[in-house]
Amino acid sequence: MRLVVARCAVDYTGRLTAHLPLAPRLLIVKADGSVLVHSDGGSYKPLNWMSPPCTLRTQARSPEEAALDPDDAWVEEWDVVHAKSGDRLRVRLHEILEDSSHELGIDPGLQKDGVEAHLQALLAENIETLGAGWSLVRREYGTAIGPVDILARDPDGAAVAIEIKRRGEIDGVEQLTRYLELLNRDPLLAPVRGIFAAQAIKPQAKVLAVDRGITCVTLDYDALRGIDDAESRLF
């Protein structure tokens, strides 16, 4: 990754045209070829950018060019062209304040707290969250169309398939419906009912779940981790 702080002017041409007048900015050139132009405000969003695939060509200004146009005192020009659309980003650097390059290597990716795998593990460890007398049969219970997050048994011994999402939407209800149709063909399990569990469930998903006889359960991630004691809260 190359980081350049410079006084620069930027022109974009393509589906539209845009111009950034001369000002100090941060220019980022990433290993994937993308080029981003940032100001010192505006949160994370760049003022302009070019996403890959694109090519970057740089050239220093020659004395002859400077003599032809002494009023436009740029010292280096970046020409960024998108390989497919032909869109062009031209950056003229008038003064380079900082210029550094860093090898970051392969990023391991964002590891989110509270993702579905964590919720699944926590609910399996605390299956009694669903009520007294519940028992865990298996996590990732295999079927011909994919694994059911949790297969459990309620206090009466009936099989229950549990689908877990961070945010419960209609697609999740449809997925659980398909699992239930398949599981209920197994005479050793049938009848199997379903629970759709998530940290938040959209109203439309709740309506569809209830219509199909599926119970909706809202999961409290902190309570499952033992951080938040719901009984000690005032509200």
Side-chain angles (χ1 to χ4, degrees):
M1 177 182 290
R2 183 183 177 190
L3 305 173
V4 178
V5 179
R7 291 180 64 250
C8 62
V10 183
D11 288 284
Y12 174 86
T13 55
R15 290 164 293 178
L16 50 81
T17 60
H19 174 69
L20 292 170
L22 186 63
R25 297 186 179 94
L26 169 65
L27 308 174
I28 301 176
V29 182
K30 294 187 177 181
D32 62 5
S34 55
V35 178
L36 302 95
V37 182
H38 281 274
S39 66
D40 203 15
S43 187
Y44 64 91
K45 189 175 181 180
L47 298 170
N48 214 324
W49 68 94
M50 188 69 77
S51 56
C54 61
T55 58
L56 167 63
R57 296 183 178 89
T58 64
Q59 66 171 12
R61 194 180 195 191
S62 67
E64 293 78 13
E65 289 174 317
L68 290 174
D69 190 3
D71 294 330
D72 190 8
W74 59 273
V75 296
E76 184 174 309
E77 183 177 73
W78 294 8
D79 190 24
V80 190
V81 180
H82 196 274
K84 294 182 178 179
S85 67
D87 291 4
R88 183 182 298 268
L89 192 69
R90 189 181 71 169
V91 185
R92 285 191 166 179
L93 290 68
H94 288 242
E95 181 184 6
I96 298 175
L97 306 173
E98 294 286 345
D99 189 348
S100 62
S101 297
H102 308 272
E103 181 60 50
L104 302 185
I106 299 174
D107 192 272
L110 180 65
Q111 298 178 349
K112 295 182 179 179
D113 193 20
V115 296
E116 291 165 15
H118 295 157
L119 290 168
Q120 181 193 123
L122 287 168
L123 185 58
E125 293 170 4
N126 301 277
I127 198 68
E128 67 280 359
T129 300
L130 300 175
W134 281 73
S135 60
L136 173 69
V137 175
R138 185 176 174 181
R139 286 178 57 193
E140 298 287 332
Y141 185 86
T143 75
I145 58 173
V148 178
D149 288 337
I150 291 179
L151 185 67
R153 291 196 179 273
D154 65 15
D156 297 325
V160 182
I162 305 171
E163 181 64 25
I164 299 172
K165 301 292 184 186
R166 290 185 68 240
R167 294 180 179 86
E169 300 184 4
I170 286 177
D171 287 350
V173 178
E174 295 284 6
Q175 182 180 1
L176 179 54
T177 300
R178 293 192 294 270
Y179 288 145
L180 290 172
E181 289 175 353
L182 195 61
L183 292 170
N184 274 299
R185 297 177 192 172
D186 186 343
L188 298 177
L189 290 176
V192 185
R193 64 185 180 92
I195 289 181
F196 188 52
Q199 289 179 280
I201 303 176
K202 288 191 172 181
Q204 300 93 328
K206 286 184 179 180
V207 170
L208 182 61
V210 171
D211 183 67
R212 295 183 177 179
I214 295 171
T215 302
C216 291
V217 173
T218 302
L219 299 176
D220 186 327
Y221 181 59
D222 287 338
L224 284 172
R225 292 197 300 167
I227 293 176
D228 179 34
D229 182 2
E231 295 182 357
S232 65
R233 288 190 270 119
L234 295 176
F235 50 86

